[in-house]
């Protein structure tokens, strides 16, 4: 099973409805393809982990790379894992806001990723939430 994590920047700010629509399509596609993961949105930045069958994960990442709504994609990690870190989530999702919501994002993300055994993945998500909180 393949697991990858990337960070990207939205070409322009997205309304909540746009993110909800993207999430609905992602969840439907991921469930059909056996892909699980977590997406955290903080302002215009996204951190996402995808895991599942290698071909399905690479196909999902290729679609994301071709999506004009994403800029500056950076692959943070990519490798084989023996077990899923995100269980049955077709796509877990948390959105960060501004001001006081940024601190809430840090707490929510910390709770979501606390069970992860992979320290690198844990640090990526907690660090992303922490940077977003400090930027707000």
């Amino acid at each position: 099973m393949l697991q990858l994590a990337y960070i990207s920047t939205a070409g322009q700010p997205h309304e909540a409805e746009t993110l909800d629509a993207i999430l609905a399509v992602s969840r439907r596609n991921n469930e059909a393809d056996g892909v699980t993961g977590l997406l955290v949105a903080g302002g215009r930045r996204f951190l996402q982990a995808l895991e599942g069958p290698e071909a399905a994960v690479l196909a999902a990442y290729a679609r994301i790379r071709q999506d004009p709504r994403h800029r500056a994609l950076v692959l943070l990690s990519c490798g084989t894992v023996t077990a899923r870190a995100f269980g049955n989530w077709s796509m877990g999702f948390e959105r960060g806001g501004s001001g006081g919501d940024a601190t809430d994002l840090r707490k929510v993300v910390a709770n979501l990723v606390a069970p992860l055994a992979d320290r690198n993945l844990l640090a990526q998500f907690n660090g992303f939430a922490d940077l977003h909180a400090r930027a707000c």
Side-chain angles (χ1 to χ4, degrees):
M1 176 171 8
L2 185 70
Q3 182 185 78
L4 68 79
Y6 74 89
I7 193 166
S8 69
T9 302
Q12 58 184 321
H14 292 296
E15 299 294 325
E17 296 81 21
T18 302
L19 287 173
D20 291 342
I22 292 168
L23 187 59
V25 170
S26 295
R27 284 180 170 155
R28 185 185 68 232
N29 291 342
N30 289 351
E31 188 171 339
D33 294 339
V35 173
T36 57
L38 176 62
L39 171 64
V40 177
R44 291 174 60 172
R45 302 284 288 172
F46 297 93
L47 173 62
Q48 184 172 29
L50 299 168
E51 60 192 10
E54 182 175 347
V57 170
L58 292 175
Y61 185 60
R63 284 190 303 271
I64 292 164
R65 284 194 337 242
Q66 296 300 314
D67 189 328
R69 296 172 293 198
H70 288 275
R71 293 187 329 200
L73 264 80
V74 176
L75 185 62
L76 299 173
S77 62
C78 183
T80 303
V81 295
T82 57
R84 292 181 187 269
F86 301 103
N88 295 321
W89 294 346
S90 59
M91 186 49 55
F93 174 70
E94 284 303 327
R95 177 185 351 226
S98 58
D101 291 342
T103 302
D104 291 343
L105 177 67
R106 194 170 17 197
K107 290 177 186 175
V108 169
V109 168
N111 288 333
L112 285 171
V113 300
L116 295 180
D118 183 332
R119 290 182 178 263
N120 184 43
L121 202 54
L122 185 68
Q124 288 171 356
F125 278 96
N126 282 324
F128 178 86
D130 186 52
L131 285 172
H132 176 69
R134 285 190 274 150
C136 288

